Amino acid sequence: MSKALIVWGGWNGHEPERVADHFRGMLERDGFEVEVSDSLESFADAEKLLGLDLIVPVWTMGRIEQKLVDNVSAAVQSGVGLAGCHGGMCDAFRENVDWQFMTGGQWVAHPGNDGVEYVVNVKHSSSPLVAGIEDFGVKSEQYYLHVDPAVEVLATTRFPVVEGPHSPNGPVDMPVVWTKRWGVGRVYYNSLGHVADIVRMPVVTELMRRGFLWAAEGKHEAGKAGTGRREAYSGMADNQL
């Protein structure tokens, strides 16, 4: 049975406990053994992390000890999947650039705050993570992020929708969903999920479900390729499934 760890906390405005509970139910329905924790000390046992298939952070802002980030990073480099959404993964631990490097991006703004109506444009490619999913609208925060150019972008949104100092730069397509590699581990991110009701939208739930399964499967695929769990970098440059 695949094992997942969900760690929730930080800013309560993102309803981390409710989001974590929704993710727990999703993963259990897909056959995962799930541990849910409200403490960052869950990242302290490096050996335990190496035995997981998936880590799901649901923690906005706050601070984290460098050793805990190092433990998560080592686990992901070994093949453990990392997957999350919104501020729970890419607006966590703003002072820790190692976390940002691993996750692939960092929130910097949400022009118009909550309640902005915008479209998520799905990029149809060879990735099965968005197969059969069409463009869809959402009313929520529209995340403007600083994004790692190494990510594979699976969905975008067009800025500006709300006018602001960024508007004179002209239209830009901002990544909403992406994947990347960290060592031999798989990383998945979806910027939707300001509150639990957004995560519960059927299309968002399905995107997250696929992302969880894809990220967790990376450990099995690394093992089939003969990669030892402590070998961090094995030339996995291809960003496809």
Side-chain angles (χ1 to χ4, degrees), residues 195-214:
V195 290
D197 284 348
I198 297 298
V199 180
R200 291 193 185 107
M201 291 174 58
V203 66
V204 179
T205 292
E206 179 60 18
L207 284 167
M208 291 305 306
R209 175 181 175 271
R210 295 183 189 188
F212 289 153
L213 294 175
W214 175 83

Side-chain angles (χ1 to χ4, degrees), residues 140-151:
S140 183
E141 289 182 341
Q142 187 184 30
Y143 259 22
Y144 202 105
L145 301 123
H146 286 171
V147 180
D148 184 342
V151 304

